[in-house]
Amino acid sequence: MKRKLAWQLVLPLVTGSVLAFVSQGAGEDAALKERGRWADAKVVAVAHDHSNKTRQCAVRKLNGQEIRPDLKETHGCEDGVDRGEVLRVRYDPQGVAAPEGESWEPGSQAGVIAALATLFVAFGTWGCMRMSRGERA
């Protein structure tokens, strides 16, 4: 009985976690698309995040204004980028969405989000139905 209960909980939890991760990225893309601004930015520091060893670049606009949060490795702070270089970035003036490098194009994760939401509901319904059948037996 406990093993069945675990599977009924694992599938919706995993699906829900992936849904949350994808939705957060889609939200940041939407914020950058709506209110983001392109700017030339100078790399003032390059650091490695200790938790996962990814590079992060602290960048400032050419007028000295800081762009927050830092530019991440997968978003434009690749291995060849050094302190003092000037990059073209799209940033959120409110500092909520992470900045993106020059190659950024807004994507649409609507299909992925819809599929994950459908799976989440289906797994949750399946788990509830199995649990109620188990109580009747």
Side-chain angles (χ1 to χ4, degrees):
M1 178 74 174
K2 289 183 182 183
R3 180 174 247 171
K4 288 180 186 179
L5 180 63
W7 278 110
Q8 292 165 11
L9 293 175
V10 167
L11 291 174
L13 287 174
V14 168
T15 306
S17 298
V18 173
L19 177 61
F21 180 76
V22 170
S23 297
Q24 189 229 353
E28 286 191 1
D29 271 1
L32 279 180
K33 184 178 178 183
E34 183 178 316
R35 66 176 180 254
R37 304 283 181 260
W38 285 105
D40 290 326
K42 187 174 187 177
V43 178
V44 294
V46 178
H48 291 276
D49 182 9
H50 298 292
S51 63
N52 57 10
K53 305 290 187 211
T54 58
R55 292 169 53 95
Q56 293 188 8
C57 295
V59 291
R60 292 182 186 268
K61 290 172 51 177
L62 298 181
N63 67 5
Q65 179 186 357
E66 187 176 23
I67 296 175
R68 299 299 295 163
D70 291 342
L71 187 64
K72 294 183 181 173
E73 182 174 2
T74 55
H75 302 274
C77 184
E78 284 81 21
D79 281 333
V81 175
D82 289 318
R83 187 172 184 242
E85 286 191 47
V86 176
L87 305 172
R88 183 128 173 97
V89 297
R90 183 144 178 114
Y91 73 99
D92 178 9
Q94 296 179 10
V96 176
E100 293 283 348
E102 189 172 23
S103 62
W104 177 80
E105 290 183 18
S108 175
Q109 291 94 358
V112 175
I113 291 172
L116 287 169
T118 301
L119 280 173
F120 180 73
V121 171
F123 285 144
T125 303
W126 170 73
C128 288
M129 289 175 62
R130 287 187 51 92
M131 286 176 68
S132 66
R133 268 194 247 147
E135 290 174 2
R136 280 186 264 151

